[in-house]
Amino acid sequence: MSVKMFPKMKLVNNINLKSEKNLCFVNTALQLLHCIPRMSTFFKIREYRLPNEQNRKMEICDEISRLFNSEGNIICSASELRRVVANKSGQHYLQDGSQQDTVEFLLTLLQEVEEEISVDNWEARVVVQEFWGVE
């Protein structure tokens, strides 16, 4: 019996630039979301946006979409995602270059994604709520 592996994204972790240090907790959270087909599709095809929201600022969702759409063909950095999540959540220590907790970052990331999604986009909200286990 062969096990089908999900394709991994190519993400940098630590190249000794302040902005690129200790991204492993962010990368782990992204790889987790990326290997859940429903979440991966949600971000790749930008289901988080309503048709009339093309100009709406959705920094976190758009950055996840950019990273997921790289399809592992190029090496990407999640430092911008880390910066935006830290700033929007008010948890600025997430971007200070120190090692952080993956679960805490994932929960913060999903809370911020939920905040970005329009209240009118009930289909997108359902996808995120399913991830939380809400029925």
Side-chain angles (χ1 to χ4, degrees):
M1 181 169 128
S2 85
V3 177
K4 181 181 175 191
M5 296 298 292
F6 292 99
K8 292 184 179 180
M9 296 181 300
K10 293 180 182 175
L11 300 168
V12 297
N13 181 37
N14 192 347
I15 57 174
N16 291 324
L17 295 174
K18 184 177 180 185
S19 65
E20 302 295 334
K21 275 190 159 181
N22 293 323
L23 288 166
C24 57
F25 66 97
V26 180
N27 294 346
T28 302
L30 283 169
Q31 294 288 8
L32 172 71
L33 290 176
H34 187 258
C35 55
I36 300 170
R38 184 66 188 106
M39 292 303 281
S40 183
T41 301
F42 177 75
F43 288 107
K44 283 181 181 178
I45 65 172
R46 299 167 60 115
E47 288 181 64
Y48 52 85
R49 281 189 183 281
L50 290 169
N52 64 342
E53 294 182 324
Q54 295 312 310
N55 294 326
R56 187 165 174 249
K57 192 173 183 178
M58 298 179 82
E59 293 175 286
I60 293 173
C61 290
D62 287 344
E63 185 61 13
I64 295 171
S65 179
R66 180 188 74 79
L67 292 164
F68 280 15
N69 280 308
S70 73
E71 289 296 328
N73 295 323
I74 58 171
I75 297 174
C76 295
S77 171
S79 63
E80 177 61 11
L81 178 64
R82 177 181 64 186
R83 185 191 68 75
V84 175
V85 169
N87 288 336
K88 288 186 98 175
S89 70
Q91 297 178 22
H92 300 285
Y93 60 88
L94 291 173
Q95 67 177 340
D96 69 7
S98 64
Q99 189 61 295
Q100 300 296 328
D101 183 73
T102 300
V103 174
E104 179 186 357
F105 181 78
L106 178 61
L107 293 174
T108 303
L109 174 66
L110 290 172
Q111 288 168 345
E112 293 304 316
V113 164
E114 204 166 19
E115 284 292 317
E116 280 190 353
I117 295 171
S118 165
V119 214
D120 298 330
N121 193 346
W122 61 271
E123 290 174 337
R125 294 184 93 59
V126 165
V127 172
V128 176
Q129 289 173 350
E130 283 175 0
F131 189 85
W132 289 113
V134 176
E135 293 183 22

